[in-house]
Amino acid sequence: KTDTVALMSHSPFEKETELNKSMQAIDKGAFHVSQREAKTHQENLQHLCRICGSSFKTDPYKRSHPVHGPIDDEMQVLLRKKEKKAISWPDLLAKVFKIGVKGDIDTIHPTKFCHQCWTVVQKKLSNSPYEMFFPRRSPVEWQSHSSSCDVCGTSPRGVKRKKQVLNPQLSKKLRMVAGRVRKIRQIKNPKQVNQKSLMKKIASCKKIHLSTKILAVDYPSDFVKSISCQICEHILADPVETTCKHLFCRTCILKCLKVMGSYCPACCYPCFPTDLVSPVKSFLSIMNSLLVICPVKDCQEEVCLGKYCHHLSRHKEIK
């Protein structure tokens, strides 16, 4: 009886000890598995682009660029041409893709980006169309490793993506381009309406923009053309540059885009108000340094174009 009582008194304790041991073994095994999965997840991230999520394996040349670090020489040359400043990739990626990569964590974010995204940066800095290189509406949002991890269950082509709704603005642009091409092909009559004079009538800026005739120096005709609006043919006022590198007065191009459709008046390339950018600073400084003769009667003073508005306001004060 005493043996039976002793056995019964010890058995719950022994069972509890065995249970604790087995739980510890399970926890230890789970920890090793999770550690192994985390390591695999981090290795998988090294083969994916930080911005678009595509795999580097799809590039036959296996090109990639570090997310953190100095900008390469080719991009530096382009930045100098455009008179823009950026020292490191995080600064440039923040400007182009509107993403902050400075606070990235290696276990969550890839540390490189693909050459296709590099091309997007190059195209955007050159004011060239880039939609074909980067059709996504926004960069990939990265999450930490989980049981339903897209990175670990990824295809060789890159991160699994949800079916995206077609960007209505992009589809509208493509439809307009296609429509414009059809119209151009249909026009075979050589006796067309003089588009140049029509655009001048739309701009109707004769009273507000300065004629090239008031330039104080007899510049070569090619130079005069380069500082003139291609719509009104006056000296550029608040100049803007299109994707196809043509220059217009801001008011003139906006009026023409509204009336005649979203294409460049000079070459019929697709052009939207959002595509217009200011020319480089060195061009603007050349423009502002041009000497013009004041058209006010009995004045005939030579004034820099940048100070012309101030000079004209003095005449108004005298009146």
Side-chain angles (χ1 to χ4, degrees):
K1 279 184 181 180
T2 53
D3 292 342
T4 308
V5 171
L7 185 66
M8 286 176 70
S9 64
H10 284 293
S11 95
F13 176 74
E14 286 174 1
K15 282 180 181 178
E16 195 177 334
T17 309
E18 285 173 13
L19 187 66
N20 285 341
K21 282 181 181 178
S22 62
M23 286 293 286
Q24 283 175 1
I26 290 164
D27 288 343
K28 205 171 184 181
F31 173 73
H32 285 304
V33 168
S34 64
Q35 206 174 26
R36 191 164 60 249
E37 281 182 3
K39 194 177 179 183
T40 308
H41 176 80
Q42 199 168 348
E43 285 173 2
N44 290 337
L45 285 173
Q46 300 309 310
H47 301 292
L48 300 175
C49 171
R50 165 68 177 86
I51 298 157
C52 67
S54 60
S55 174
F56 299 138
K57 293 173 184 177
T58 56
D59 183 1
Y61 301 103
K62 303 289 185 292
R63 293 167 295 185
S64 64
H65 306 270
V67 171
H68 303 278
I71 295 165
D72 57 80
D73 295 339
E74 194 175 340
M75 200 62 74
Q76 285 281 16
V77 170
L78 185 59
L79 284 166
R80 277 197 295 273
K81 269 187 182 179
K82 287 292 178 182
E83 297 180 344
K84 293 180 180 176
K85 288 183 179 179
I87 304 164
S88 61
W89 277 117
D91 297 333
L92 197 54
L93 295 176
K95 283 181 183 177
V96 175
F97 295 105
K98 305 290 185 287
I99 54 166
V101 297
K102 288 183 178 179
D104 280 8
I105 304 165
D106 291 352
T107 52
I108 298 173
H109 304 94
T111 55
K112 296 176 184 177
F113 64 98
C114 65
H115 191 71
Q116 194 162 335
C117 290
W118 183 92
T119 309
V120 173
V121 176
Q122 187 190 42
K123 293 282 177 187
K124 213 159 182 185
L125 288 174
S126 309
N127 296 330
S128 304
Y130 62 90
E131 286 87 353
M132 65 177 73
F133 296 97
F134 193 74
R136 290 181 62 86
R137 292 175 71 180
S138 60
V140 174
E141 289 183 12
W142 300 94
Q143 305 293 335
S144 54
H145 179 66
S146 62
S147 55
S148 58
C149 180
D150 285 339
V151 173
C152 297
T154 190
S155 66
R157 290 189 168 274
V159 173
K160 288 180 181 177
R161 297 173 185 168
K162 292 177 183 177
K163 191 176 179 181
Q164 290 183 359
V165 181
L166 186 65
N167 188 343
Q169 193 179 354
L170 184 61
S171 60
K172 184 182 176 184
K173 188 184 275 192
L174 293 171
R175 281 201 306 274
M176 291 184 79
V177 173
R180 180 65 196 153
V181 169
R182 278 199 298 273
K183 282 180 185 175
I184 291 167
R185 284 176 181 171
Q186 284 167 7
I187 295 169
K188 293 180 182 178
N189 185 6
K191 293 179 180 179
Q192 298 175 30
V193 179
N194 190 341
Q195 201 174 11
K196 199 91 175 172
S197 61
L198 179 63
M199 286 192 294
K200 280 184 182 180
K201 284 178 183 177
I202 292 166
S204 62
C205 58
K206 194 174 181 180
K207 291 180 181 178
I208 55 171
H209 292 166
L210 299 173
S211 169
T212 52
K213 291 175 183 177
I214 69 164
L215 287 167
V217 181
D218 187 18
Y219 293 110
S221 58
D222 286 341
F223 178 76
V224 174
K225 195 176 178 182
S226 70
I227 59 162
S228 306
C229 172
Q230 296 201 32
I231 294 171
C232 66
E233 295 181 345
H234 293 142
I235 297 171
L236 286 162
D238 190 10
V240 288
E241 187 181 347
T242 59
T243 310
C244 45
K245 306 290 182 187
H246 292 117
L247 291 166
F248 303 94
C249 303
R250 189 182 292 275
T251 53
C252 295
I253 183 82
L254 288 174
K255 283 178 184 177
C256 282
L257 291 177
K258 192 175 181 180
V259 176
M260 301 189 73
S262 298
Y263 62 92
C264 174
C267 66
C268 300
Y269 191 85
C271 177
F272 289 79
T274 50
D275 298 333
L276 303 174
V277 293
S278 293
V280 290
K281 289 176 184 176
S282 55
F283 177 80
L284 294 174
S285 64
I286 290 167
M287 286 287 301
N288 290 329
S289 63
L290 292 172
L291 287 174
V292 294
I293 300 167
C294 178
V296 176
K297 195 177 179 182
D298 301 327
C299 180
Q300 300 296 305
E301 189 180 333
E302 290 186 4
V303 191
C304 289
L305 189 63
K307 296 177 182 177
Y308 177 76
C309 289
H310 177 67
H311 175 79
L312 202 64
S313 65
R314 277 165 50 199
H315 282 300
K316 287 177 182 176
E317 283 173 11
I318 292 165
K319 282 184 180 180

